[in-house]
Amino acid sequence: TYYIRLVDELTDDNYVVTLASSAGSGNTVLYSITQRRVTISFTGGTNVIYGNNVDENALRDLIAFSRTNGSGDAFLGKDSAVQADVLAALNFNLGGYTVTSNAGSTFNITISGMDSVGSASNYTFAYSDAEAELTVDKRPITFAIASKLNLTYGTDAVWEASESLSAELTSGTFANGHNAGNVYTLGVYDEDGTLITGGWNSLAVGDYFIVGTAINNNYAVTFTGDADYKDGTDNAGTFE
């Protein structure tokens, strides 16, 4: 609160000046500066990969500030540090999201207030469009399928090879304690797409493929290998 006071420094005796005001008294007027009103809102939604924590710094990148009661920038130019302080003080409610939430799930993130910001005493804040959608994406992961070569018809080596199918993790990581057995299976298929389930010692001579099948919808699984099985890419291992 400030006061405007008429200072008696008149140099012309022909005038008698009186200051009239609805506030203050005598030759003094009350002058008040109100806080600058700022609206905080989200500019859009965001995504998180299954098994990961939500990056709150990424959420802050989605925040916009606008001046509520006037035109111009929300914060005065000299107060750029205040804007950074307010951003850092914002708290977010993740709407129930946890690292075990399934891929494809959506959650409503809201701004749940802010911690005290001493540098922002000249501002007051309100929220509008303070809700954003969080979508859980599948976790990308890649495996290289090992081939089984130089197998001879009618020998135990064919059966033994079928019992030791394997793939190496080459990109990505597991989450929530998962391992390969929670994410994919491997099987041997013939050229017609038939899964071979037995009769290994009498398996006819021919071209066979070791094929991976994703079994967990929380992962976006890619398989690589030295053979092309029905999709034009080297996505399988060779069994021969």
Side-chain angles (χ1 to χ4, degrees), residues 39 95 100 184 197 213 239:
T39 298
T100 61
Y184 70 88
T197 59
T213 301
F239 190 90

Side-chain angles (χ1 to χ4, degrees), residues 66-208:
S66 59
R67 189 175 178 191
T68 307
N69 57 341
S71 61
D73 295 334
F75 294 89
L76 295 182
K78 67 182 182 63
D79 287 341
S80 59
V82 176
Q83 179 172 337
D85 291 344
V86 171
L87 267 178
L90 288 175
N91 297 310
F92 300 96
N93 184 323
L94 301 183
Y97 171 79
T98 70
V99 294
T100 61
S101 297
N102 290 325
S105 301
T106 59
F107 300 87
N108 289 326
I109 300 176
T110 56
I111 302 170
S112 60
M114 69 174 72
D115 298 329
S116 176
V117 184
S119 63
S121 59
N122 288 322
Y123 295 84
T124 184
F125 300 94
Y127 304 103
S128 177
D129 296 323
E131 184 175 293
E133 185 174 85
L134 173 69
T135 302
V136 184
D137 292 336
K138 292 186 177 185
R139 191 176 190 87
I141 197 165
T142 302
F143 301 93
I145 300 174
S147 292
K148 298 291 186 180
L149 304 175
N150 303 315
L151 304 177
T152 302
Y153 168 76
T155 65
D156 288 341
V158 179
W159 173 79
E160 290 170 355
S162 72
E163 291 293 302
S164 60
L165 305 179
S166 64
E168 179 185 0
L169 175 64
T170 58
S171 176
T173 58
F174 297 108
N176 294 319
H178 292 157
N179 55 41
N182 302 120
V183 176
Y184 70 88
T185 61
L186 296 175
V188 178
Y189 290 76
D190 64 17
E191 289 183 294
D192 296 326
T194 301
L195 174 65
I196 309 302
T197 59
W200 298 103
N201 288 354
S202 58
L203 191 64
V205 174
D207 294 325
Y208 298 91

Side-chain angles (χ1 to χ4, degrees), residues 2-8 19 25-31:
Y2 299 87
Y3 296 91
I4 300 175
R5 174 166 293 177
L6 180 63
V7 180
D8 188 12
L19 183 64
S25 60
N27 63 346
T28 301
V29 175
L30 182 66
Y31 179 71

